[in-house]
């Protein structure tokens, strides 16, 4: 099933109440640990409960719990093996402590990146196992076994009891970001000249949604083989959202006089299509549309042509000759100074720059469509040769 498919009522309920569900799951996992302790009473079983809390407290998603559980299990096994080896084979207290310090220092040196938590667990497990070097390995082995049992309990509860999926959270954050961007663009295009609307709150919310998407990448890899194969694409998708947000931040800075309104309204009429496409994309990502909406063929070229026509038909009162191409958006400082001296507004230059901004928005929207189309096609298991840019033929 595609990551963009409509969510089931059960999955939607879990996501809407994920805080309560997560708290319930943590309590159930601890109850399982307490029950095992009541029946068998293994030594040092408190480490199982500590492990459950450490793993599940800050990671409600299934993928995150699996990732952290495996890292904790691997780090525990490696640290325990090294610690037991020291205690069992070395008699000198100072030699044991020297080798312990050396190992922990080495772990500190190489600890970085995705598996930093496994290194951390390995380091403090060595210290716990060696202790005061009293050569009693039974306590160390029991602690290791209890930590591993805590990892197993955390994984099983996360997987099979009201699973909270990172995929749904990622999709929700992507929808939130696109929806905010579409709303900002639509409100700007409908606003009057020299409006003072403040879009910072919506753009900041969109940026926070993008940052949340990035935090979910590791969890997504554990939950979806398809997204794991396209993990680079997920990063690119986040970066393209950031680019689109940056372009939208420039829109409120654009200003024009009332007498120039007609010229800008022609450009905004063209740009309003972009807001419509973004809104359609948000609906698809949210699961409200069955199929990915298509963009017109060669959207940016068509938009460029229409913007050029709008510029050509706009009255130019400035002494500066307006450039009608999307790549020539600069004028010489001498011309600008001359226009300022004559008290004339360089309207042609301003219109061309504004058109260039709209054109860049079109490219960014098209890039967003393309990445989402690739993910959707990958879920449908279509051949790579059928992967297009999400445009209509």
């Amino acid at each position: 099933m595609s990551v963009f498919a409509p969510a089931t009522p059960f999955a939607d309920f879990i996501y809407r109440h994920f805080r309560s569900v997560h708290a319930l799951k943590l309590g159930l996992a601890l109850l399982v640990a307490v029950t095992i302790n009541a029946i068998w009473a293994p030594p040092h079983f408190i480490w199982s409960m500590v492990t459950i809390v450490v793993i599940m407290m800050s990671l409600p998603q299934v993928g995150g719990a699996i990732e952290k559980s495996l890292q904790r299990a691997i780090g525990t096994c490696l640290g325990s093996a090294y610690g037991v080896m020291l205690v069992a084979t070395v008699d000198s207290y100072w030699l044991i402590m020297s080798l312990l310090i050396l190992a922990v220092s080495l772990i500190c040196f190489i600890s970085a990146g995705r598996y930093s938590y496994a290194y951390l667990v390995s380091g403090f497990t060595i210290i716990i196992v060696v202790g005061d070097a009293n050569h009693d390995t039974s306590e160390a082995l029991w602690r290791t076994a209890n930590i591993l049992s805590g990892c197993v309990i955390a994984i099983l509860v996360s997987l099979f009891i009201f699973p909270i999926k990172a995929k749904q959270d990622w999709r929700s954050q992507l929808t939130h970001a696109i929806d905010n961007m579409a709303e900002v663009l639509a409100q700007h295009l409908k606003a009057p000249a020299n409006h003072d609307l403040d879009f910072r709150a919506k753009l900041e919310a969109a940026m926070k949604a993008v940052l949340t998407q990035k935090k979910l990448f590791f969890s997504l890899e554990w939950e979806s083989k398809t997204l794991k194969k396209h993990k680079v694409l997920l990063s690119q998708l986040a970066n393209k959202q950031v680019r689109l947000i940056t372009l939208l931040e420039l829109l409120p800075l654009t200003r024009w006089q009332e007498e120039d309104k007609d010229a800008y309204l022609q450009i905004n009429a063209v740009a309003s299509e972009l807001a419509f496409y973004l809104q359609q994309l948000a609906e698809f990502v949210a699961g409200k549309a069955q199929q990915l909406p298509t963009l017109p063929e060669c959207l940016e070229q068509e938009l460029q042509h229409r913007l050029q026509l709008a510029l050509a038909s706009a009255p130019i009162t400035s002494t500066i000759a307006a450039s009608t191409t999307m790549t020539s958006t600069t004028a010489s400082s001498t011309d600008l100074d001359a226009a300022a001296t004559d008290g004339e507004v360089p309207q042609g230059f301003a219109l061309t720059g504004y058109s260039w901004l709209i054109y860049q928005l079109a490219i960014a929207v098209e890039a967003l469509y393309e990445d989402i189309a690739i993910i959707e096609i990958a879920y449908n298991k279509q051949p790579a040769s059928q992967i297009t840019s999400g445009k209509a033929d």
Side-chain angles (χ1 to χ4, degrees):
M1 180 182 293
S2 171
V3 69
F4 303 122
T8 63
F10 180 69
D12 186 61
F13 173 83
I14 290 178
Y15 182 73
R16 285 188 290 109
H17 304 281
F18 82 94
R19 292 185 182 276
S20 300
V21 172
H22 179 49
L24 175 63
K25 292 175 64 174
L26 178 59
L28 289 175
L30 291 175
L31 179 60
V32 171
V34 169
T35 303
I36 293 174
N37 186 39
I39 296 175
W40 287 290
H44 308 290
F45 197 74
I46 192 66
W47 281 98
S48 178
M49 300 179 69
V50 170
T51 299
I52 290 171
V53 172
V54 169
I55 291 174
M56 296 185 64
M57 181 69 79
S58 59
L59 293 170
Q61 295 88 3
V62 172
I66 295 175
E67 168 90 8
K68 197 164 187 177
S69 295
L70 291 178
Q71 288 202 37
R72 188 173 180 87
I74 293 172
T76 298
C77 290
L78 293 177
S80 178
Y82 183 79
V84 170
M85 183 271 295
L86 288 182
V87 172
T89 60
V90 181
D91 293 329
S92 170
Y93 171 82
W94 286 108
L95 181 56
I96 289 179
M97 291 303 172
S98 298
L99 293 173
L100 181 151
I101 294 172
L102 178 62
V104 174
S105 299
L106 179 61
I107 289 172
C108 177
F109 177 75
I110 64 177
S111 176
R114 177 172 180 173
Y115 303 104
S116 58
Y117 181 68
Y119 290 117
L120 171 65
V121 172
S122 180
F124 71 68
T125 300
I126 295 173
I127 297 174
I128 291 173
V129 169
V130 172
D132 58 357
N134 60 7
H135 295 275
D136 182 9
T137 59
S138 62
E139 181 177 346
L141 294 176
W142 274 115
R143 286 180 176 178
T144 302
N146 288 325
I147 290 174
L148 294 178
S149 68
C151 292
V152 172
I153 293 172
I155 291 176
L156 292 179
V157 171
S158 297
L159 275 173
F160 299 111
I161 299 179
F162 304 131
I164 302 173
K165 298 287 188 173
K167 292 188 296 183
Q168 190 167 2
D169 195 8
W170 174 79
R171 185 178 77 169
S172 177
Q173 296 299 332
L174 178 60
T175 302
H176 186 55
I178 297 175
D179 198 41
N180 274 278
M181 290 186 285
E183 190 172 345
V184 167
L185 181 56
Q187 289 183 4
H188 169 79
L189 297 176
K190 295 177 182 178
N194 296 318
H195 67 80
D196 57 354
L197 296 177
D198 190 355
F199 300 122
R200 286 178 296 179
K202 290 187 178 296
L203 292 176
E204 287 175 1
M207 184 61 75
K208 288 180 181 178
V210 176
L211 295 178
T212 302
Q213 293 172 44
K214 291 184 176 182
K215 292 178 182 178
L216 294 171
F217 285 171
F218 289 156
S219 298
L220 291 172
E221 291 183 28
W222 286 102
E223 292 185 13
S224 171
K225 293 181 180 180
T226 301
L227 293 180
K228 184 176 182 179
K229 293 178 182 178
H230 293 80
K231 57 184 179 180
V232 176
L233 185 64
L234 293 178
S235 180
Q236 293 175 353
L237 182 61
N239 293 335
K240 290 174 181 178
Q241 292 173 71
V242 173
R243 181 173 183 268
L244 189 52
I245 292 172
T246 303
L247 290 170
L248 289 172
E249 287 177 337
L250 298 176
L251 280 180
L253 302 179
T254 57
R255 293 291 186 269
W256 57 84
Q257 302 300 321
E258 186 64 27
E259 57 268 22
D260 303 326
K261 180 179 66 175
D262 292 341
Y264 281 92
L265 286 180
Q266 293 182 52
I267 298 176
N268 286 350
V270 177
S272 62
E273 296 181 16
L274 297 179
F276 173 73
Y277 295 140
L278 277 176
Q279 290 168 351
Q280 281 193 319
L281 185 61
E283 290 181 359
F284 169 76
V285 173
K288 297 178 181 178
Q290 294 295 328
Q291 293 184 340
L292 177 67
T294 55
L295 294 178
E297 182 70 17
C298 301
L299 170 67
E300 72 280 1
Q301 287 89 347
E302 176 65 21
L303 181 62
Q304 178 181 355
H305 175 68
R306 292 171 61 186
L307 288 173
Q308 288 174 346
L309 293 178
L311 284 174
S313 62
I316 303 299
T317 59
S318 171
T319 58
I320 302 175
S323 170
T324 59
T325 61
M326 304 310 300
T327 55
S328 301
T329 60
T330 59
S332 67
S333 59
T334 304
D335 290 337
L336 290 174
D337 292 340
T341 302
D342 295 338
E344 296 173 339
V345 179
Q347 180 191 9
F349 177 77
L351 280 173
T352 306
Y354 186 71
S355 298
W356 177 88
L357 179 59
I358 299 301
Y359 175 63
Q360 292 300 319
L361 281 170
I363 295 176
V365 170
E366 195 171 41
L368 212 59
Y369 261 81
E370 181 178 354
D371 286 351
I372 292 176
I374 292 175
I375 294 174
E376 174 67 7
I377 291 173
Y379 266 99
N380 293 332
K381 298 182 179 180
Q382 296 182 22
S385 59
Q386 296 184 18
I387 296 181
T388 64
S389 298
K391 307 173 193 175
D393 294 332

